[in-house]
Amino acid sequence: MQPKQSIAATGNNLKIVSLISVGKHPQSGRVRRADQDSRAVELGMKLLDSGNPTGGDSLVVLHAGDPKEPGLRGYAGMGLNSVQVLELDPAADAVAPLGEYLQQFAPDIVLTGVRAEGGESSGMVPYQLAEKLGWPIVPRVADIISVEAGVAEVLQALPRGQRRSLKIRLPFIASIDSAAQDARQSAYGPASRAMMDIEIVDSSTDQLRENWSEAPAKKRPKRLKVIKAKTAAERFKAATAKSQSEGGKVMQNESAAEQAQAIFDLLLEEGVLR
Amino acid sequence: MTDQNSFDVLRRDPRAERIIRNRLHPLHDTYINTGAGGELTEVRGPSGLLRKNPHNVGFIGPNGIKRIDRLKGNAAASGKGRRSSAAQETLLPLHQVENPDFYVVVVPDMVGGRLTGQDKDVIGQAHKLAVGIEGNGAVLAVCFGQSKEEHFDTAGVDRLLLLDDDSYEGYCPEQRLAALVQVESAYKPPFWLFPDSVNGGSDLGSRLAARIGERPAAQAWQVDNQTSICRGAAGTIDITRTTPRLLLLAEECADQIDETRHEALPVELGAVPTVIAKLQDQGQVAVDPNAISLAEAEFILAAGNGIHNWDQFHTAASILGATEGASRVAVDDGFMPRVRQVGATGTWVTARVYLAVGISGAIQHMQGIGQCDKVIAINTDAGCDMVKRAALSTIGDSQEILNELMTLVQQFRTQQSEGGDQDAA
């Protein structure tokens, strides 16, 4: 378990909203809770656990779409009392009603996944919401370390396993990366007991999307290595030669100190020494 | 340079070559048979036999020794041709766009200050789209931060907008977005292209799309001016749609530019308003390098058979902040765990910098480091394969060199921390 004293939300009364969507298993295609969204819920629950012990904080798990979707129960089984659902036509645009809801509710932190596992999965929802509400967005968050005096300290996941620390003023939107803590197990009993708070909203149909055609993903053709040799000798060389970078610098007679200095300069130039 | 080139150009006379090959050609004798003195070397004797005049054959070489060219002039030509083709790099034809009617804007990731493979794919895609629009268009690359790239011209950049102020350093998506909005209002580009990558292209592209109210095509992998095909639903479906103005392109979306050279002319952008950033970059956090998986580590210090002081190697790795790797021999001998093995039977690494200590470079190991950008070798043998592959090789005792390197890095670290303290105070 994480140490609890790290987050000191003294009298903050944080309002956290976690946006969830219906996921799809990448191999079997079965409906499930989406991986990144469930990590977002997990992070929200962690903030709640380690926050104000008197219970001033609140977590709302919000979905826009069909409330009868069985995938939503996967989130409820993580120990939620209720799931808030804005009932929509599946073909409708979800951003507008979500934006209105968030504007009214005025949460401090909104957590989402980076990309949905169904539909367009362009990852644009958090950005559009942020633009609509005028809030900052932090993409690919691995962890929220602390929330103090209206400023949150956030760890962002970078490629190659690196992390960046960011400070950000509340309220903000964060999309949660797959590097965040795994979601807890979903249990069947709590899942079936949880309430679905349904609110029927109406939204315009996504006109643009009606003209799109969808098909199961084809395997992409592999890029061929084109050899643009003019002569037979060049073709032969291209087929047989080992790929070796030519013109590398060789230091043979210098002292060890000079050689080490050359290596150090190269490391510094490449920016790998931190 | 041009003079030298014209001097080196091999002029072939196909007609003369044809005649030399064809012994029945009426002019064959005149091409073949003229010796040093201008007299014929082969004469048909009175009985019908060929008579050769040995004194007339060949020529006096540069050292005053007589040389006989038994290949009738063919060898010299082919030898010269081979030598010149190896020596000179052919200059690609220059693609110029004067007074472009429109700009297709590309915002490359520039990881480590250089164009990535995906960036080059996206630039190739930009040229494909520019050709499909009427008028002559140029590809404008907007690059943020310090650039180390030297080959913008061969990558296909017609115009280059380099924004390398201090305000664009580090993680500052809001400031970069302000600059892109400025570009949008200044150039009104028909297409905005971003690489859909975790290196920041996807983030910046999504921000711009939300700001200018475009609906982007994410993970687009087959794009022309009318329709584009994108991966949706976490890569399980293909969506065919009309091409929007803003595209987030997947890897290998188009072929890279490789047959032309471009101008890469610098362009200026008017003053960009300074944005009050809501995100404050606190810098990167130290991560345990050995907790990162070897396949995605950025900086690897690898040990081979040439390492004798293993304690020193482990200290060096922790001081440099490098992930540890090893060759098969070091693993088989029990000095390193199997998960650390680099190469065909171990892990195929993608490090940007690979520092190989005491590894001579078996072919299986070289396969494993095929994707590394910069390889540095420390070895005692100057003729080994690793030295041939490396961008920098130092020949000498690895223990001494590592010791010197560690002291240098420690000095650098102390200087840095002192500088940081001064900044804070």
Side-chain angles (χ1 to χ4, degrees):
Chain A
M1 279 300 289
Q2 295 281 319
K4 288 197 173 185
Q5 75 278 5
S6 66
I7 296 172
T10 43
N12 261 343
N13 293 347
L14 276 180
K15 279 159 94 178
I16 304 164
V17 170
S18 187
L19 304 185
I20 57 171
S21 62
V22 179
K24 201 167 80 174
H25 192 274
Q27 262 76 48
S28 67
R30 262 175 68 164
V31 167
R32 62 164 189 179
R33 53 175 184 169
D35 178 59
Q36 288 170 338
D37 292 348
S38 55
R39 282 170 203 261
V41 174
E42 176 68 40
L43 183 59
M45 293 173 93
K46 188 193 122 193
L47 287 174
L48 209 62
D49 284 347
S50 51
N52 198 343
T54 52
D57 298 354
S58 64
L59 171 69
V60 173
V61 175
L62 179 64
H63 174 71
D66 184 8
K68 294 190 189 71
E69 193 62 64
L72 298 182
R73 291 282 167 187
Y75 297 98
M78 290 166 73
L80 303 171
N81 293 325
S82 66
V83 174
Q84 180 81 35
V85 182
L86 306 177
E87 189 170 352
L88 279 181
D89 185 59
D93 180 24
V95 175
L98 281 176
E100 275 163 32
Y101 180 91
L102 292 177
Q103 200 129 39
Q104 265 181 10
F105 188 70
D108 296 304
I109 302 173
V110 178
L111 306 170
T112 72
V114 174
R115 275 185 187 183
E117 293 179 1
E120 193 185 349
S121 83
S122 63
M124 280 299 290
V125 169
Y127 290 94
Q128 282 169 339
L129 287 176
E131 194 61 36
K132 201 174 165 112
L133 299 167
W135 294 355
I137 163 154
V138 202
R140 301 199 166 269
V141 168
D143 200 1
I144 295 178
I145 296 173
S146 67
V147 184
E148 274 169 22
V151 178
E153 196 183 343
V154 167
L155 267 192
Q156 194 183 26
L158 300 181
R160 297 184 177 281
Q162 302 291 318
R163 298 279 184 275
R164 182 193 281 137
S165 164
L166 294 170
K167 274 198 174 157
I168 185 163
R169 188 159 283 283
L170 301 180
F172 67 91
I173 299 180
S175 65
I176 306 301
D177 191 81
S178 307
Q181 200 191 336
D182 275 334
R184 64 191 70 182
Q185 207 174 355
S186 178
Y188 181 76
S192 34
R193 277 195 296 276
M195 293 279 291
M196 291 281 168
D197 289 343
I198 301 168
E199 188 180 321
I200 298 172
V201 292
D202 49 289
S203 175
S204 56
T205 327
D206 190 347
Q207 296 287 349
L208 208 56
R209 208 175 147 179
E210 288 183 338
N211 302 327
W212 298 355
S213 65
E214 291 177 6
K218 275 186 306 198
K219 204 172 178 197
R220 284 179 61 184
K222 230 179 182 174
R223 179 183 276 174
L224 294 176
K225 194 177 158 194
V226 181
I227 296 163
K228 288 181 175 157
K230 296 252 163 31
T231 62
E234 280 172 29
R235 271 197 299 280
F236 178 71
K237 211 173 145 191
T240 55
K242 278 188 252 174
S243 65
Q244 287 175 341
S245 70
E246 283 175 19
K249 193 175 155 197
V250 181
M251 303 180 77
Q252 196 148 18
N253 299 320
E254 286 84 349
S255 69
E258 282 173 53
Q259 292 178 337
Q261 184 68 45
I263 295 176
F264 175 74
D265 290 344
L266 186 62
L267 295 182
L268 209 57
E269 189 200 321
E270 289 297 320
V272 288
L273 290 179
R274 301 206 173 80
Chain B
M1 172 145 181
T2 48
D3 282 352
Q4 201 193 345
N5 276 343
S6 63
F7 184 73
D8 282 344
V9 166
L10 177 70
R11 299 263 173 227
R12 298 177 69 176
D13 184 354
R15 179 169 174 269
E17 287 173 10
R18 213 162 42 237
I19 292 172
I20 288 170
R21 280 200 302 274
N22 184 3
R23 296 178 60 177
L24 300 176
H25 198 278
L27 295 176
H28 183 73
D29 283 353
T30 53
Y31 278 90
I32 281 296
N33 267 344
T34 20
E39 297 164 39
L40 293 180
T41 50
E42 289 180 4
V43 185
R44 190 80 51 187
S47 61
L49 286 175
L50 266 183
R51 298 278 173 204
K52 288 189 181 176
N53 179 3
H55 301 294
N56 227 352
V57 172
F59 56 96
I60 306 298
N63 299 331
I65 301 171
K66 187 164 188 177
R67 298 283 176 201
I68 299 172
D69 181 10
R70 293 184 198 282
L71 292 172
K72 312 286 188 196
N74 286 337
S78 64
K80 191 182 171 194
R82 193 178 298 149
R83 207 178 310 131
S84 64
S85 73
Q88 80 187 47
E89 191 75 19
T90 45
L91 209 56
L92 296 170
L94 183 65
H95 172 87
Q96 273 179 314
V97 188
E98 285 165 11
N99 306 320
D101 302 328
F102 60 89
Y103 291 95
V104 175
V105 180
V106 173
V107 186
D109 280 336
M110 303 286 286
V111 178
R114 293 198 183 86
L115 292 173
T116 61
Q118 195 178 1
D119 289 343
K120 291 178 185 168
D121 296 342
V122 172
I123 292 171
Q125 179 69 60
H127 278 281
K128 267 173 72 182
L129 289 173
V131 166
I133 309 174
E134 222 166 290
N136 57 337
V139 172
L140 170 70
V142 182
C143 301
F144 295 102
Q146 294 294 331
S147 159
K148 287 182 216 151
E149 180 64 47
E150 291 156 355
H151 301 296
F152 280 118
D153 52 348
T154 46
V157 176
D158 293 317
R159 299 288 188 278
L160 177 65
L161 176 60
L162 196 60
L163 298 165
D164 51 1
D165 295 350
D166 288 343
S167 54
Y168 298 107
E169 285 300 320
Y171 184 66
C172 52
E174 292 150 319
Q175 185 63 41
R176 292 181 179 196
L177 178 62
L180 292 183
V181 169
Q182 189 94 351
V183 171
E184 162 78 12
S185 60
Y187 294 102
K188 299 266 182 308
F191 288 111
W192 275 99
L193 307 187
F194 292 82
D196 198 350
S197 67
V198 291
N199 296 311
S202 162
D203 178 29
L204 207 53
S206 303
R207 279 174 201 270
L208 184 68
R211 179 61 54 87
I212 64 177
E214 274 303 323
R215 187 156 178 182
Q219 288 289 337
W221 58 275
Q222 204 176 76
V223 178
D224 59 30
N225 291 59
Q226 278 74 45
T227 55
S228 42
I229 306 180
C230 325
R231 281 279 140 96
T236 55
I237 58 168
D238 275 337
I239 303 173
T240 311
R241 52 180 290 185
T242 50
T243 302
R245 255 189 84 209
L246 200 147
L247 291 150
L248 304 171
L249 293 158
E251 267 182 285
E252 301 197 355
C253 52
D255 289 330
Q256 302 181 358
I257 297 291
D258 56 355
E259 286 182 330
T260 45
R261 210 157 37 92
H262 296 253
E263 295 171 291
L265 290 179
V267 293
E268 294 291 325
L269 186 67
V272 179
T274 311
V275 176
I276 300 159
K278 290 173 184 161
L279 292 170
Q280 270 186 332
D281 188 0
Q282 304 280 306
Q284 287 206 7
V285 180
V287 186
D288 176 18
N290 284 332
I292 306 168
S293 83
L294 198 55
E296 63 168 8
E298 190 175 27
F299 176 28
I300 297 177
L301 179 68
N305 201 23
I307 289 274
H308 301 296
N309 188 346
W310 283 93
D311 291 338
Q312 188 210 26
F313 171 77
H314 294 302
T315 357
S318 69
I319 286 175
L320 290 170
T323 309
E324 289 179 7
S327 73
R328 189 191 55 79
V329 185
V331 172
D332 280 358
D333 290 351
F335 293 114
M336 293 286 271
R338 185 62 73 187
V339 289
R340 296 273 155 219
Q341 184 180 334
V342 174
T345 35
T347 315
W348 293 51
V349 298
T350 58
R352 274 205 304 123
V353 180
Y354 186 83
L355 179 48
V357 188
I359 302 177
S360 56
I363 184 66
Q364 290 85 351
H365 194 83
M366 304 310 262
Q367 286 169 350
I369 62 168
Q371 287 186 56
C372 295
D373 278 348
K374 290 266 171 187
V375 177
I376 308 174
I378 301 179
N379 213 306
T380 46
D381 176 14
C384 66
D385 280 350
M386 186 59 86
V387 171
K388 285 180 195 145
R389 164 77 166 81
L392 171 69
S393 331
T394 56
I395 312 300
D397 183 27
S398 66
Q399 211 165 324
E400 280 176 35
I401 297 174
L402 277 184
N403 256 334
E404 294 283 345
L405 188 60
M406 280 195 284
T407 45
L408 278 174
V409 173
Q410 271 166 335
Q411 276 172 15
F412 169 73
R413 290 270 152 79
T414 49
Q415 271 174 19
Q416 219 182 18
S417 61
E418 277 167 18
D421 289 346
Q422 279 162 10
D423 281 356

